[in-house]
Amino acid sequence: MTGADPALAPAVPPARPDRRAWFVLGVLCFVYVLNFLDRQLLSILAKPIRDELGLTHGQIGLISGLYFALFYGLISIPVAWFADRANRVKVLSFACALWSAATVACGFAASYPQLALARMTVGVGEAGGVPPSYAIISDYFRPGTRGTALGLYNLGPPIGNALGVAFGASVAVAFSWRDAFIAVGAIGVVTALIVYLTVREPPRGGLDIPADAPQTAYEPPAKAPFLATCRMFFRRRVLLLVALATAANQFITYGSGNFATLFLMEEKGMTLEQVAIWYSLLILFSMGGGIFFAGRLVDRLAPRDKRAYALIPAIGLTVAIPFFVAFVWAPGWELAMIMLIVPFALNYFYLSPAVALVQEEVKPNERVLAGALLLLVMNLVGLGLGPTWLGAASDWFGAHGHARPLQSAFYTLVPFYGLAILLFLLLARAIRKEAAR
């Protein structure tokens, strides 16, 4: 072995992940819960924030969508490049501390510009959260178990969203929306310290060597060049298509998700107390179940047919369409919530397969940057344009005399289901062609 210290070579672990791997996965999942809770708290508390600061639907869409996504997506690239060369755990702990402090600042915002600036800073911090975590998990779990591990990790969004609804709405009812931001941010600062003290940096690519290989077979990979990795990502048809397909998918999930609470309260008649109970439970079990089930499904089916990475989300979106339309149409919140169960599960079938596919398709020293490039495309299109589109559409329908402008805006998301399905089918064909070569 050349250029490697034998002391750095990891012992060949058993096929099943050890206790340390599960502990790290649990800690990183909790960080992701806070990441998503901080990110979604604004949309969850949109009604009281809008009432106090006098914001329009369009302004809510911009600060929860485009403004946030621009900073989140663009900053994630240099952060990922640095993390591929540095200690990924330290990058993650610093990022968690930064976004949590910015969340506290949201609670003190007295105007729209102040709130927008604080949200942009949250985006800067969260840029260092998910891509390093993807790579750390991939170095604690062997191929063949990563779909399940990443599926469990990706329970962070539904748990964070559900806790945000339950906790944020409850605090807003008992105290104020400001107290919810301050409390969540303070918890995040403490969590950042826990990550720094308890999570060890794993050897890059240590579990990508064969399980029966000698211990000396491990050699730390060379640092991947930035521009070459970016070119590789966007030139490989499979990687480009998975980014575009998930971006179209996220246009739907972020567009509808960032306005769902406001929609249920303004046009379906739910109260904040009802949202805190029923909507949070729906997010936790429906969205969480969909993400975890898709991860398990891809671990079972992809070894036999790699197209499963694309066909699982395509089938899920196809089944979800009529239930989404019924949710938007439903005259009362009770029926709307029942109809929302199916799309909230199936709309998220894309997440675990997409992340697992990218982590499997690139070299170990490219994983953080590749994950960041995937998130860049996903978030600039999905998070950046989805809520912005929906908010602007609602303002347009309202200005043109529509009695239920937000409901009309929700209907405009239906064509994007068709676009996402088409892109996933193209991805399946690209996977088949690449496998044949």
Side-chain angles (χ1 to χ4, degrees), residues 165-413:
V165 173
F167 176 78
S170 299
V171 171
V173 170
F175 301 99
S176 76
W177 63 268
R178 298 181 183 277
D179 294 317
F181 279 97
I182 294 169
V184 170
I187 294 170
V189 172
V190 175
T191 302
L193 181 61
I194 293 173
V195 172
Y196 182 82
L197 295 175
T198 63
V199 177
R200 290 202 303 262
E201 173 78 358
R204 285 175 168 84
L207 298 184
D208 289 278
I209 60 175
D212 57 352
Q215 188 169 347
T216 54
Y218 173 76
E219 183 171 354
K223 295 177 174 63
F226 176 77
L227 291 178
T229 303
C230 292
R231 283 195 297 268
M232 176 278 300
F233 186 92
F234 289 109
R235 286 178 178 176
R236 281 193 60 187
R237 186 171 177 80
V238 166
L239 296 177
L240 178 59
L241 279 172
V242 72
L244 293 175
T246 52
N249 200 144
Q250 282 206 160
F251 191 99
I252 301 164
T253 57
Y254 273 116
S256 58
N258 280 25
F259 278 93
T261 302
L262 199 60
F263 181 54
L264 290 167
M265 292 179 67
E266 288 190 349
E267 300 200 11
K268 302 298 183 185
M270 285 190 85
T271 65
L272 199 55
E273 293 89 339
Q274 290 168 335
V275 166
I277 299 172
W278 300 111
Y279 185 58
S280 63
L281 290 173
L282 185 146
I283 291 171
L284 180 62
F285 291 105
S286 184
M287 186 193 302
I291 290 173
F292 178 72
F293 181 70
R296 295 286 292 176
L297 203 57
V298 78
D299 269 348
R300 180 178 293 272
L301 299 179
R304 296 197 293 266
D305 187 346
K306 204 172 180 181
R307 292 178 300 169
Y309 286 110
L311 295 178
I312 288 170
I315 293 170
L317 289 172
T318 303
V319 177
I321 293 174
F323 292 93
F324 178 79
V325 173
F327 154 70
V328 179
W329 162 84
W333 71 265
E334 296 91 348
L335 180 58
M337 292 287 285
I338 293 172
M339 293 297 105
L340 191 57
I341 292 172
V342 175
F344 251 43
L346 300 181
N347 284 357
Y348 288 87
F349 265 28
Y350 76 96
L351 191 54
S352 298
V355 173
L357 176 61
V358 170
Q359 295 295 300
E360 295 279 1
E361 288 291 304
V362 302
K363 299 174 184 176
N365 60 338
E366 298 170 338
R367 281 178 177 148
V368 180
L369 183 54
L373 291 168
L374 173 67
L375 291 174
L376 173 67
V377 179
M378 287 167 57
N379 288 314
L380 284 182
V381 175
L383 177 58
L385 300 182
T388 305
W389 166 278
L390 203 66
S394 178
D395 285 350
W396 187 89
F397 283 120
H400 287 76
H402 286 247
R404 298 187 171 213
L406 198 50
Q407 182 184 51
S408 300
F410 264 79
Y411 280 124
T412 66
L413 293 178

